[in-house]
Each structure stands twice: as C-alpha cells, then as structure tokens.
Amino acid sequence: MLLERFASKEWLEAEKLWKEGKISSKECLDMQISLVNITKDQLEDFLSNVHIDKSFIKFLDYVKSNFNAKVYILSDGFRLFIKKILKDHLEKIDGIYANNLYFINKKFKTLYRYSQKDCQLGVCKCHLVQKLKDDKTIYIGDGMSDFCVSKNADFVFAKGKLLSFLKTQNVSHFTSFSYFEDIINQLPFVLENLYEERGNTIDRTGSLLLG
C-alpha cells in the first residue's frame, strides 16, 4: 500500500477520523496524500508492481464479448493510479471516474471533479450512477464509499465492508463474490432474473459499474 510505504504514520489518524465520521473523504484524502514523500521513479515502480485480480481482464473480455454492456470504474481513489495500473487494458473500459491527482515537486495536488455539495466523498457515486444509468445497472464494490450507491443499483456484487453493510440493510438485490471469476459465473443468471426473460439478455444489458 502506498501510504504504508511512503507516508508518515499520521495517515492512520486521518483514516481513523474518517471511519468515525469526523472528517469527509476529501479531507481524509488530502491529509493522507500530503504525508506522502515519494519520487516520480519510486511512484512508477510502485504502481508497476501492483497486482490485480487475475480474472479481472477475463471479466472485461467476457462482458464485452457476450453482452452489450458498458463498463465504468467509479472510484474514490485516484485516476492517475488507476490508469497506470490498467494501462494495457484501458480500451476495454468505457470510462474512469475518480479523483484527479497531480505530482509536482515530489508532492501531490488533488482535484475533485466529481464531488457534490451534499456528498462527503471526493467522487459522488450516486450522482454518477444516475448520469450513467442505461437500462439495468449492476454494481461491483467492496468498500465504505460504495455504501450509498449500492442502494441505487439494480443488482450488486459485494465483498469486504460493502458485503457486511448490505447484510445489515433491508435489501436483497446483492450477492457475495471473492474474485471476478465468481461474477463471470453468476452474471448470466443475474441478468435473467433482472429481465425475467430467459435467453434474452444480450441486447438488454445496461451498465456494469466498478466501485
């Protein structure tokens, strides 16, 4: 993790304040990123060694080949990092909505293009879902920034903190997953249930949103 390797320990206090609801996500990100001390070469090396779920690319190929679906990434992280990590597969993603980050003189500068006044996140995912929604919307997420938006999707694949949260809510439009391979296996059945027309999902799939 970038903060663990290149930031002073104060980033943990910012994380604690955010989880307790005492500061917003944007305030937390600004506090944490200001504590990072890294060179451009170190950043490039770190990002080039970030490992993603091995079945993620298979998942992208699957939904593009088998369904008329658009795939978007909605992240309260940073666009710079996402683009570098997925640099060889960007053509398979229809849009990346994340916080902007600029690296100047060994320090980061943040910009929150997708924030909303009534939302504490740097990226208001609820606003973006309404903007990007195309017929049915399937959301995939695992964190606290996915809590609110998960209620606005037609179906949710969840793990981690998001899964724990949804289990406490009076909702049933979700299931668990561990790897993207699990989503590949379950997606046809989910779509059949959403459209209630067996075998007629290819032309009626909407958006897949990754949190």
Side-chain angles (χ1 to χ4, degrees):
M1 184 177 179
L2 183 74
L3 293 173
E4 292 174 341
R5 284 189 56 184
F6 298 103
S8 56
K9 297 297 183 183
E10 284 86 352
W11 76 267
L12 292 168
E13 180 60 25
E15 190 83 3
K16 180 173 180 289
L17 292 172
W18 172 59
K19 288 181 177 179
E20 293 173 348
K22 295 179 180 178
I23 61 174
S24 70
S25 172
K26 289 181 286 187
E27 291 171 318
C28 178
L29 288 170
D30 280 339
M31 290 172 64
Q32 290 181 331
I33 209 70
S34 70
L35 299 170
V36 174
N37 185 12
I38 192 173
T39 66
K40 187 175 182 178
D41 287 342
Q42 285 175 320
L43 179 61
E44 292 281 351
D45 181 65
F46 175 81
L47 295 175
S48 67
N49 286 287
V50 172
H51 300 292
I52 61 174
D53 181 343
K54 292 180 180 179
S55 57
F56 176 64
I57 306 307
K58 181 180 178 181
F59 162 79
L60 291 178
D61 291 334
Y62 174 74
V63 298
K64 290 297 183 181
S65 298
N66 293 277
F67 305 104
N68 182 28
K70 291 185 177 179
V71 179
Y72 301 100
I73 294 177
L74 279 57
S75 173
D76 205 32
F78 294 107
R79 180 181 174 86
L80 173 67
F81 298 167
I82 296 169
K83 289 189 70 174
K84 286 186 178 295
I85 293 169
L86 298 178
K87 59 183 175 62
D88 295 328
H89 310 284
L90 294 176
E91 74 282 354
K92 301 173 184 177
I93 300 169
D94 295 281
I96 299 173
Y97 297 85
N99 302 306
N100 286 75
L101 189 67
Y102 303 96
F103 191 61
I104 304 172
N105 296 327
K106 297 185 182 181
K107 292 294 181 182
F108 291 107
K109 171 75 174 177
T110 56
L111 177 65
Y112 302 102
R113 292 180 55 197
Y114 304 108
S115 63
Q116 296 290 315
K117 289 182 179 180
D118 58 347
C119 180
Q120 290 193 344
L121 298 176
V123 172
C124 182
K125 298 183 179 183
C126 290
H127 177 76
L128 285 170
V129 164
Q130 294 305 313
K131 175 183 175 182
L132 298 170
K133 189 175 180 67
D134 179 19
D135 202 0
K136 299 298 183 181
T137 298
I138 296 175
Y139 192 85
I140 304 167
D142 65 355
M144 291 174 60
S145 68
D146 302 313
F147 287 4
C148 181
V149 68
S150 64
K151 299 179 181 180
N152 296 318
D154 294 294
F155 193 83
V156 180
F157 287 99
K159 67 178 180 177
K161 290 184 174 65
L162 177 60
L163 179 61
S164 298
F165 168 76
L166 289 173
K167 286 180 177 179
T168 68
Q169 305 300 299
N170 187 29
V171 296
S172 60
H173 67 294
F174 72 94
T175 191
S176 65
F177 80 101
S178 297
Y179 303 99
F180 278 89
E181 185 77 38
D182 303 325
I183 299 176
I184 293 173
N185 294 332
Q186 297 182 68
L187 190 57
F189 305 103
V190 169
L191 291 171
E192 286 180 5
N193 288 329
L194 284 179
Y195 289 109
E196 297 182 346
E197 291 184 26
R198 179 174 292 274
N200 189 29
T201 60
I202 290 182
D203 294 326
R204 301 186 61 185
T205 306
S207 304
L208 291 162
L209 306 173
L210 314 181

